[in-house]
Amino acid sequence: MPQFHSPAGKSDAPSEIQAQDHRLFKRVSAGRGILIVDDEADIAETLSAVFTHSGYHVRIALSAEEAIETVAEWEPDLAILDVMLPRMNGLELAVVLRDNHPRCRLVLFSGHPDTPTLVSEAARKGHFFEILSKPVHPLFMLDYVASLFSEPTSGAA
């Protein structure tokens, strides 16, 4: 059964908590590389700015094909993948990354109504993914990524 997580409730955190969270993100992010893959440039650039500001090394790809070219020369510690990409979708890309770069953690997110169908098709083929629901608040995404880096590498999404 596909899992979806809603990032609701993170947007109204008090500024003191946000400042404490920011210090935590800086410690967790040291030297970590993140690949952001989204065909919507505004979303990719916004996430890039958020993660760069928090101390991560970030690269952007606007398609799955561009992402594959990027990881051929630079292996990220984590890839944030939009599910609904043109040509090769984010789930197909996640399978490629999982097979070829098992140490790379994966975060998939989507706001598209066809996502559950794609997730079910992937599950029937033995590929299980957890999907974050768009829109994702930047503080939630930072917290979620920090929690992934605090766990041992499993290669699972």
Side-chain angles (χ1 to χ4, degrees):
M1 175 68 64
Q3 290 185 304
F4 292 86
H5 293 279
S6 175
K10 276 295 215 180
S11 61
D12 51 23
S15 60
E16 314 84 55
I17 293 173
Q18 289 176 4
Q20 289 171 351
D21 286 348
H22 182 71
R23 286 190 297 273
L24 169 67
F25 299 140
K26 284 286 192 184
R27 285 195 304 272
V28 172
S29 67
R32 304 284 187 164
I34 296 179
L35 174 63
I36 298 169
V37 185
D38 198 312
D39 61 323
E40 294 182 53
D42 290 345
I43 292 174
E45 289 170 13
T46 299
L47 285 174
S48 176
V50 167
F51 281 100
T52 299
H53 180 73
S54 294
Y56 292 93
H57 302 287
V58 179
R59 294 197 186 177
I60 293 174
L62 300 177
S63 69
E65 296 80 8
E66 184 180 343
I68 290 169
E69 290 175 14
T70 299
V71 298
E73 62 186 49
W74 175 75
E75 187 169 347
D77 297 294
L78 180 133
I80 298 173
L81 313 174
D82 183 19
V83 172
M84 299 308 290
L85 297 169
R87 295 177 298 282
M88 176 188 277
N89 69 49
L91 293 170
E92 294 165 331
L93 175 59
V95 171
V96 169
L97 291 174
R98 192 182 270 171
D99 289 346
N100 295 295
H101 304 280
R103 292 179 43 149
C104 180
R105 292 166 171 89
L106 302 172
V107 174
L108 290 99
F109 69 132
S110 180
H112 198 278
D114 290 340
T115 298
T117 302
L118 292 174
V119 171
S120 294
E121 288 172 16
R124 280 193 295 277
K125 295 176 183 176
H127 305 290
F128 300 95
F129 297 103
E130 192 173 313
I131 310 294
L132 298 178
S133 298
K134 280 184 178 179
V136 178
H137 190 279
L139 286 178
F140 178 86
M141 186 66 86
L142 283 169
D143 187 39
Y144 187 79
V145 166
S147 73
L148 291 177
F149 283 132
S150 68
E151 299 172 357
T153 304
S154 66

mmCIF file with all atom_site columns, all heavy atoms in Angstrom, residues 22-42:
data_model
loop_
_atom_site.group_PDB
_atom_site.id
_atom_site.type_symbol
_atom_site.label_atom_id
_atom_site.label_alt_id
_atom_site.label_comp_id
_atom_site.label_asym_id
_atom_site.label_entity_id
_atom_site.label_seq_id
_atom_site.pdbx_PDB_ins_code
_atom_site.Cartn_x
_atom_site.Cartn_y
_atom_site.Cartn_z
_atom_site.occupancy
_atom_site.B_iso_or_equiv
_atom_site.pdbx_formal_charge
_atom_site.auth_seq_id
_atom_site.auth_comp_id
_atom_site.auth_asym_id
_atom_site.auth_atom_id
_atom_site.pdbx_PDB_model_num
ATOM 1   N N   . HIS A 1 22 ? 17.159 25.375 12.605  1.00 0.00 ? 22 HIS A N   1
ATOM 2   C CA  . HIS A 1 22 ? 18.168 25.786 11.639  1.00 0.00 ? 22 HIS A CA  1
ATOM 3   C C   . HIS A 1 22 ? 19.564 25.363 12.096  1.00 0.00 ? 22 HIS A C   1
ATOM 4   O O   . HIS A 1 22 ? 20.366 24.889 11.306  1.00 0.00 ? 22 HIS A O   1
ATOM 5   C CB  . HIS A 1 22 ? 18.101 27.297 11.413  1.00 0.00 ? 22 HIS A CB  1
ATOM 6   C CG  . HIS A 1 22 ? 19.076 27.782 10.392  1.00 0.00 ? 22 HIS A CG  1
ATOM 7   N ND1 . HIS A 1 22 ? 18.928 27.506 9.055   1.00 0.00 ? 22 HIS A ND1 1
ATOM 8   C CD2 . HIS A 1 22 ? 20.213 28.486 10.525  1.00 0.00 ? 22 HIS A CD2 1
ATOM 9   C CE1 . HIS A 1 22 ? 19.941 28.033 8.402   1.00 0.00 ? 22 HIS A CE1 1
ATOM 10  N NE2 . HIS A 1 22 ? 20.734 28.638 9.268   1.00 0.00 ? 22 HIS A NE2 1
ATOM 11  N N   . ARG A 1 23 ? 19.859 25.511 13.393  1.00 0.00 ? 23 ARG A N   1
ATOM 12  C CA  . ARG A 1 23 ? 21.167 25.085 13.916  1.00 0.00 ? 23 ARG A CA  1
ATOM 13  C C   . ARG A 1 23 ? 21.328 23.579 13.757  1.00 0.00 ? 23 ARG A C   1
ATOM 14  O O   . ARG A 1 23 ? 22.393 23.098 13.397  1.00 0.00 ? 23 ARG A O   1
ATOM 15  C CB  . ARG A 1 23 ? 21.323 25.515 15.371  1.00 0.00 ? 23 ARG A CB  1
ATOM 16  C CG  . ARG A 1 23 ? 21.561 27.004 15.519  1.00 0.00 ? 23 ARG A CG  1
ATOM 17  C CD  . ARG A 1 23 ? 21.950 27.364 16.947  1.00 0.00 ? 23 ARG A CD  1
ATOM 18  N NE  . ARG A 1 23 ? 20.892 27.068 17.907  1.00 0.00 ? 23 ARG A NE  1
ATOM 19  C CZ  . ARG A 1 23 ? 19.907 27.892 18.223  1.00 0.00 ? 23 ARG A CZ  1
ATOM 20  N NH1 . ARG A 1 23 ? 19.827 29.080 17.646  1.00 0.00 ? 23 ARG A NH1 1
ATOM 21  N NH2 . ARG A 1 23 ? 19.007 27.568 19.108  1.00 0.00 ? 23 ARG A NH2 1
ATOM 22  N N   . LEU A 1 24 ? 20.276 22.809 13.988  1.00 0.00 ? 24 LEU A N   1
ATOM 23  C CA  . LEU A 1 24 ? 20.322 21.357 13.809  1.00 0.00 ? 24 LEU A CA  1
ATOM 24  C C   . LEU A 1 24 ? 20.590 21.016 12.351  1.00 0.00 ? 24 LEU A C   1
ATOM 25  O O   . LEU A 1 24 ? 21.431 20.171 12.050  1.00 0.00 ? 24 LEU A O   1
ATOM 26  C CB  . LEU A 1 24 ? 19.008 20.712 14.252  1.00 0.00 ? 24 LEU A CB  1
ATOM 27  C CG  . LEU A 1 24 ? 18.826 19.236 13.876  1.00 0.00 ? 24 LEU A CG  1
ATOM 28  C CD1 . LEU A 1 24 ? 19.835 18.373 14.649  1.00 0.00 ? 24 LEU A CD1 1
ATOM 29  C CD2 . LEU A 1 24 ? 17.417 18.783 14.137  1.00 0.00 ? 24 LEU A CD2 1
ATOM 30  N N   . PHE A 1 25 ? 19.914 21.696 11.428  1.00 0.00 ? 25 PHE A N   1
ATOM 31  C CA  . PHE A 1 25 ? 20.094 21.413 10.003  1.00 0.00 ? 25 PHE A CA  1
ATOM 32  C C   . PHE A 1 25 ? 21.532 21.672 9.590   1.00 0.00 ? 25 PHE A C   1
ATOM 33  O O   . PHE A 1 25 ? 22.093 20.939 8.800   1.00 0.00 ? 25 PHE A O   1
ATOM 34  C CB  . PHE A 1 25 ? 19.154 22.258 9.140   1.00 0.00 ? 25 PHE A CB  1
ATOM 35  C CG  . PHE A 1 25 ? 17.700 22.011 9.422   1.00 0.00 ? 25 PHE A CG  1
ATOM 36  C CD1 . PHE A 1 25 ? 16.802 23.052 9.453   1.00 0.00 ? 25 PHE A CD1 1
ATOM 37  C CD2 . PHE A 1 25 ? 17.220 20.733 9.649   1.00 0.00 ? 25 PHE A CD2 1
ATOM 38  C CE1 . PHE A 1 25 ? 15.464 22.829 9.715   1.00 0.00 ? 25 PHE A CE1 1
ATOM 39  C CE2 . PHE A 1 25 ? 15.890 20.498 9.908   1.00 0.00 ? 25 PHE A CE2 1
ATOM 40  C CZ  . PHE A 1 25 ? 15.008 21.550 9.946   1.00 0.00 ? 25 PHE A CZ  1
ATOM 41  N N   . LYS A 1 26 ? 22.140 22.735 10.102  1.00 0.00 ? 26 LYS A N   1
ATOM 42  C CA  . LYS A 1 26 ? 23.529 23.052 9.755   1.00 0.00 ? 26 LYS A CA  1
ATOM 43  C C   . LYS A 1 26 ? 24.463 21.911 10.163  1.00 0.00 ? 26 LYS A C   1
ATOM 44  O O   . LYS A 1 26 ? 25.372 21.556 9.435   1.00 0.00 ? 26 LYS A O   1
ATOM 45  C CB  . LYS A 1 26 ? 23.983 24.350 10.428  1.00 0.00 ? 26 LYS A CB  1
ATOM 46  C CG  . LYS A 1 26 ? 23.442 25.592 9.795   1.00 0.00 ? 26 LYS A CG  1
ATOM 47  C CD  . LYS A 1 26 ? 24.131 25.866 8.490   1.00 0.00 ? 26 LYS A CD  1
ATOM 48  C CE  . LYS A 1 26 ? 23.806 27.260 8.012   1.00 0.00 ? 26 LYS A CE  1
ATOM 49  N NZ  . LYS A 1 26 ? 24.371 27.539 6.723   1.00 0.00 ? 26 LYS A NZ  1
ATOM 50  N N   . ARG A 1 27 ? 24.235 21.317 11.352  1.00 0.00 ? 27 ARG A N   1
ATOM 51  C CA  . ARG A 1 27 ? 25.081 20.207 11.806  1.00 0.00 ? 27 ARG A CA  1
ATOM 52  C C   . ARG A 1 27 ? 24.878 18.974 10.940  1.00 0.00 ? 27 ARG A C   1
ATOM 53  O O   . ARG A 1 27 ? 25.823 18.297 10.572  1.00 0.00 ? 27 ARG A O   1
ATOM 54  C CB  . ARG A 1 27 ? 24.781 19.871 13.270  1.00 0.00 ? 27 ARG A CB  1
ATOM 55  C CG  . ARG A 1 27 ? 25.351 20.861 14.254  1.00 0.00 ? 27 ARG A CG  1
ATOM 56  C CD  . ARG A 1 27 ? 25.328 20.291 15.660  1.00 0.00 ? 27 ARG A CD  1
ATOM 57  N NE  . ARG A 1 27 ? 24.017 19.865 16.088  1.00 0.00 ? 27 ARG A NE  1
ATOM 58  C CZ  . ARG A 1 27 ? 23.115 20.628 16.687  1.00 0.00 ? 27 ARG A CZ  1
ATOM 59  N NH1 . ARG A 1 27 ? 23.375 21.894 16.928  1.00 0.00 ? 27 ARG A NH1 1
ATOM 60  N NH2 . ARG A 1 27 ? 21.958 20.141 17.073  1.00 0.00 ? 27 ARG A NH2 1
ATOM 61  N N   . VAL A 1 28 ? 23.644 18.655 10.606  1.00 0.00 ? 28 VAL A N   1
ATOM 62  C CA  . VAL A 1 28 ? 23.331 17.457 9.833   1.00 0.00 ? 28 VAL A CA  1
ATOM 63  C C   . VAL A 1 28 ? 23.796 17.597 8.387   1.00 0.00 ? 28 VAL A C   1
ATOM 64  O O   . VAL A 1 28 ? 24.200 16.629 7.759   1.00 0.00 ? 28 VAL A O   1
ATOM 65  C CB  . VAL A 1 28 ? 21.807 17.177 9.889   1.00 0.00 ? 28 VAL A CB  1
ATOM 66  C CG1 . VAL A 1 28 ? 21.415 16.072 8.941   1.00 0.00 ? 28 VAL A CG1 1
ATOM 67  C CG2 . VAL A 1 28 ? 21.377 16.831 11.304  1.00 0.00 ? 28 VAL A CG2 1
ATOM 68  N N   . SER A 1 29 ? 23.784 18.810 7.860   1.00 0.00 ? 29 SER A N   1
ATOM 69  C CA  . SER A 1 29 ? 24.029 19.014 6.437   1.00 0.00 ? 29 SER A CA  1
ATOM 70  C C   . SER A 1 29 ? 25.499 19.034 6.040   1.00 0.00 ? 29 SER A C   1
ATOM 71  O O   . SER A 1 29 ? 25.811 18.932 4.860   1.00 0.00 ? 29 SER A O   1
ATOM 72  C CB  . SER A 1 29 ? 23.399 20.334 5.992   1.00 0.00 ? 29 SER A CB  1
ATOM 73  O OG  . SER A 1 29 ? 24.062 21.426 6.600   1.00 0.00 ? 29 SER A OG  1
ATOM 74  N N   . ALA A 1 30 ? 26.400 19.153 6.979   1.00 0.00 ? 30 ALA A N   1
ATOM 75  C CA  . ALA A 1 30 ? 27.817 19.349 6.676   1.00 0.00 ? 30 ALA A CA  1
ATOM 76  C C   . ALA A 1 30 ? 28.327 18.356 5.637   1.00 0.00 ? 30 ALA A C   1
ATOM 77  O O   . ALA A 1 30 ? 28.353 17.161 5.864   1.00 0.00 ? 30 ALA A O   1
ATOM 78  C CB  . ALA A 1 30 ? 28.642 19.251 7.947   1.00 0.00 ? 30 ALA A CB  1
ATOM 79  N N   . GLY A 1 31 ? 28.690 18.896 4.459   1.00 0.00 ? 31 GLY A N   1
ATOM 80  C CA  . GLY A 1 31 ? 29.279 18.086 3.407   1.00 0.00 ? 31 GLY A CA  1
ATOM 81  C C   . GLY A 1 31 ? 28.317 17.211 2.635   1.00 0.00 ? 31 GLY A C   1
ATOM 82  O O   . GLY A 1 31 ? 28.740 16.448 1.769   1.00 0.00 ? 31 GLY A O   1
ATOM 83  N N   . ARG A 1 32 ? 27.041 17.261 2.909   1.00 0.00 ? 32 ARG A N   1
ATOM 84  C CA  . ARG A 1 32 ? 26.067 16.404 2.220   1.00 0.00 ? 32 ARG A CA  1
ATOM 85  C C   . ARG A 1 32 ? 25.668 16.998 0.882   1.00 0.00 ? 32 ARG A C   1
ATOM 86  O O   . ARG A 1 32 ? 25.436 18.192 0.763   1.00 0.00 ? 32 ARG A O   1
ATOM 87  C CB  . ARG A 1 32 ? 24.797 16.223 3.066   1.00 0.00 ? 32 ARG A CB  1
ATOM 88  C CG  . ARG A 1 32 ? 25.018 15.688 4.451   1.00 0.00 ? 32 ARG A CG  1
ATOM 89  C CD  . ARG A 1 32 ? 25.303 14.215 4.432   1.00 0.00 ? 32 ARG A CD  1
ATOM 90  N NE  . ARG A 1 32 ? 25.346 13.721 5.798   1.00 0.00 ? 32 ARG A NE  1
ATOM 91  C CZ  . ARG A 1 32 ? 25.281 12.465 6.109   1.00 0.00 ? 32 ARG A CZ  1
ATOM 92  N NH1 . ARG A 1 32 ? 25.183 11.554 5.177   1.00 0.00 ? 32 ARG A NH1 1
ATOM 93  N NH2 . ARG A 1 32 ? 25.330 12.096 7.362   1.00 0.00 ? 32 ARG A NH2 1
ATOM 94  N N   . GLY A 1 33 ? 25.561 16.126 -0.126  1.00 0.00 ? 33 GLY A N   1
ATOM 95  C CA  . GLY A 1 33 ? 25.141 16.562 -1.451  1.00 0.00 ? 33 GLY A CA  1
ATOM 96  C C   . GLY A 1 33 ? 23.713 16.130 -1.743  1.00 0.00 ? 33 GLY A C   1
ATOM 97  O O   . GLY A 1 33 ? 23.339 14.992 -1.481  1.00 0.00 ? 33 GLY A O   1
ATOM 98  N N   . ILE A 1 34 ? 22.934 17.053 -2.271  1.00 0.00 ? 34 ILE A N   1
ATOM 99  C CA  . ILE A 1 34 ? 21.538 16.780 -2.600  1.00 0.00 ? 34 ILE A CA  1
ATOM 100 C C   . ILE A 1 34 ? 21.284 17.126 -4.064  1.00 0.00 ? 34 ILE A C   1
ATOM 101 O O   . ILE A 1 34 ? 21.632 18.216 -4.519  1.00 0.00 ? 34 ILE A O   1
ATOM 102 C CB  . ILE A 1 34 ? 20.572 17.593 -1.709  1.00 0.00 ? 34 ILE A CB  1
ATOM 103 C CG1 . ILE A 1 34 ? 20.724 17.151 -0.246  1.00 0.00 ? 34 ILE A CG1 1
ATOM 104 C CG2 . ILE A 1 34 ? 19.123 17.423 -2.174  1.00 0.00 ? 34 ILE A CG2 1
ATOM 105 C CD1 . ILE A 1 34 ? 19.834 17.903 0.713   1.00 0.00 ? 34 ILE A CD1 1
ATOM 106 N N   . LEU A 1 35 ? 20.669 16.191 -4.764  1.00 0.00 ? 35 LEU A N   1
ATOM 107 C CA  . LEU A 1 35 ? 20.220 16.417 -6.128  1.00 0.00 ? 35 LEU A CA  1
ATOM 108 C C   . LEU A 1 35 ? 18.718 16.654 -6.083  1.00 0.00 ? 35 LEU A C   1
ATOM 109 O O   . LEU A 1 35 ? 17.974 15.831 -5.535  1.00 0.00 ? 35 LEU A O   1
ATOM 110 C CB  . LEU A 1 35 ? 20.526 15.203 -7.013  1.00 0.00 ? 35 LEU A CB  1
ATOM 111 C CG  . LEU A 1 35 ? 19.976 15.268 -8.437  1.00 0.00 ? 35 LEU A CG  1
ATOM 112 C CD1 . LEU A 1 35 ? 20.598 16.425 -9.217  1.00 0.00 ? 35 LEU A CD1 1
ATOM 113 C CD2 . LEU A 1 35 ? 20.223 13.941 -9.151  1.00 0.00 ? 35 LEU A CD2 1
ATOM 114 N N   . ILE A 1 36 ? 18.284 17.771 -6.637  1.00 0.00 ? 36 ILE A N   1
ATOM 115 C CA  . ILE A 1 36 ? 16.857 18.093 -6.702  1.00 0.00 ? 36 ILE A CA  1
ATOM 116 C C   . ILE A 1 36 ? 16.418 17.938 -8.145  1.00 0.00 ? 36 ILE A C   1
ATOM 117 O O   . ILE A 1 36 ? 16.986 18.558 -9.045  1.00 0.00 ? 36 ILE A O   1
ATOM 118 C CB  . ILE A 1 36 ? 16.586 19.525 -6.206  1.00 0.00 ? 36 ILE A CB  1
ATOM 119 C CG1 . ILE A 1 36 ? 17.007 19.644 -4.729  1.00 0.00 ? 36 ILE A CG1 1
ATOM 120 C CG2 . ILE A 1 36 ? 15.113 19.897 -6.397  1.00 0.00 ? 36 ILE A CG2 1
ATOM 121 C CD1 . ILE A 1 36 ? 17.028 21.056 -4.203  1.00 0.00 ? 36 ILE A CD1 1
ATOM 122 N N   . VAL A 1 37 ? 15.399 17.091 -8.363  1.00 0.00 ? 37 VAL A N   1
ATOM 123 C CA  . VAL A 1 37 ? 14.906 16.819 -9.712  1.00 0.00 ? 37 VAL A CA  1
ATOM 124 C C   . VAL A 1 37 ? 13.431 17.197 -9.770  1.00 0.00 ? 37 VAL A C   1
ATOM 125 O O   . VAL A 1 37 ? 12.583 16.556 -9.152  1.00 0.00 ? 37 VAL A O   1
ATOM 126 C CB  . VAL A 1 37 ? 15.085 15.329 -10.097 1.00 0.00 ? 37 VAL A CB  1
ATOM 127 C CG1 . VAL A 1 37 ? 14.666 15.117 -11.548 1.00 0.00 ? 37 VAL A CG1 1
ATOM 128 C CG2 . VAL A 1 37 ? 16.521 14.872 -9.859  1.00 0.00 ? 37 VAL A CG2 1
ATOM 129 N N   . ASP A 1 38 ? 13.159 18.263 -10.498 1.00 0.00 ? 38 ASP A N   1
ATOM 130 C CA  . ASP A 1 38 ? 11.781 18.729 -10.684 1.00 0.00 ? 38 ASP A CA  1
ATOM 131 C C   . ASP A 1 38 ? 11.728 19.483 -12.000 1.00 0.00 ? 38 ASP A C   1
ATOM 132 O O   . ASP A 1 38 ? 12.600 20.310 -12.272 1.00 0.00 ? 38 ASP A O   1
ATOM 133 C CB  . ASP A 1 38 ? 11.350 19.636 -9.530  1.00 0.00 ? 38 ASP A CB  1
ATOM 134 C CG  . ASP A 1 38 ? 9.836  19.792 -9.444  1.00 0.00 ? 38 ASP A CG  1
ATOM 135 O OD1 . ASP A 1 38 ? 9.190  20.053 -10.484 1.00 0.00 ? 38 ASP A OD1 1
ATOM 136 O OD2 . ASP A 1 38 ? 9.299  19.647 -8.338  1.00 0.00 ? 38 ASP A OD2 1
ATOM 137 N N   . ASP A 1 39 ? 10.731 19.186 -12.823 1.00 0.00 ? 39 ASP A N   1
ATOM 138 C CA  . ASP A 1 39 ? 10.617 19.865 -14.110 1.00 0.00 ? 39 ASP A CA  1
ATOM 139 C C   . ASP A 1 39 ? 10.076 21.287 -13.973 1.00 0.00 ? 39 ASP A C   1
ATOM 140 O O   . ASP A 1 39 ? 10.097 22.043 -14.934 1.00 0.00 ? 39 ASP A O   1
ATOM 141 C CB  . ASP A 1 39 ? 9.775  19.043 -15.093 1.00 0.00 ? 39 ASP A CB  1
ATOM 142 C CG  . ASP A 1 39 ? 8.355  18.801 -14.618 1.00 0.00 ? 39 ASP A CG  1
ATOM 143 O OD1 . ASP A 1 39 ? 8.153  18.609 -13.391 1.00 0.00 ? 39 ASP A OD1 1
ATOM 144 O OD2 . ASP A 1 39 ? 7.446  18.773 -15.465 1.00 0.00 ? 39 ASP A OD2 1
ATOM 145 N N   . GLU A 1 40 ? 9.627  21.648 -12.793 1.00 0.00 ? 40 GLU A N   1
ATOM 146 C CA  . GLU A 1 40 ? 9.203  23.026 -12.540 1.00 0.00 ? 40 GLU A CA  1
ATOM 147 C C   . GLU A 1 40 ? 10.397 23.765 -11.942 1.00 0.00 ? 40 GLU A C   1
ATOM 148 O O   . GLU A 1 40 ? 10.751 23.576 -10.777 1.00 0.00 ? 40 GLU A O   1
ATOM 149 C CB  . GLU A 1 40 ? 8.011  23.063 -11.595 1.00 0.00 ? 40 GLU A CB  1
ATOM 150 C CG  . GLU A 1 40 ? 6.755  22.435 -12.208 1.00 0.00 ? 40 GLU A CG  1
ATOM 151 C CD  . GLU A 1 40 ? 5.565  22.527 -11.270 1.00 0.00 ? 40 GLU A CD  1
ATOM 152 O OE1 . GLU A 1 40 ? 5.275  23.659 -10.808 1.00 0.00 ? 40 GLU A OE1 1
ATOM 153 O OE2 . GLU A 1 40 ? 4.948  21.487 -11.017 1.00 0.00 ? 40 GLU A OE2 1
ATOM 154 N N   . ALA A 1 41 ? 11.030 24.595 -12.756 1.00 0.00 ? 41 ALA A N   1
ATOM 155 C CA  . ALA A 1 41 ? 12.264 25.281 -12.361 1.00 0.00 ? 41 ALA A CA  1
ATOM 156 C C   . ALA A 1 41 ? 12.096 26.095 -11.084 1.00 0.00 ? 41 ALA A C   1
ATOM 157 O O   . ALA A 1 41 ? 13.005 26.128 -10.250 1.00 0.00 ? 41 ALA A O   1
ATOM 158 C CB  . ALA A 1 41 ? 12.763 26.170 -13.498 1.00 0.00 ? 41 ALA A CB  1
ATOM 159 N N   . ASP A 1 42 ? 10.944 26.740 -10.902 1.00 0.00 ? 42 ASP A N   1
ATOM 160 C CA  . ASP A 1 42 ? 10.728 27.554 -9.699  1.00 0.00 ? 42 ASP A CA  1
ATOM 161 C C   . ASP A 1 42 ? 10.795 26.699 -8.436  1.00 0.00 ? 42 ASP A C   1
ATOM 162 O O   . ASP A 1 42 ? 11.381 27.114 -7.435  1.00 0.00 ? 42 ASP A O   1
ATOM 163 C CB  . ASP A 1 42 ? 9.384  28.279 -9.753  1.00 0.00 ? 42 ASP A CB  1
ATOM 164 C CG  . ASP A 1 42 ? 9.351  29.393 -10.782 1.00 0.00 ? 42 ASP A CG  1
ATOM 165 O OD1 . ASP A 1 42 ? 10.440 29.796 -11.251 1.00 0.00 ? 42 ASP A OD1 1
ATOM 166 O OD2 . ASP A 1 42 ? 8.246  29.853 -11.125 1.00 0.00 ? 42 ASP A OD2 1
#
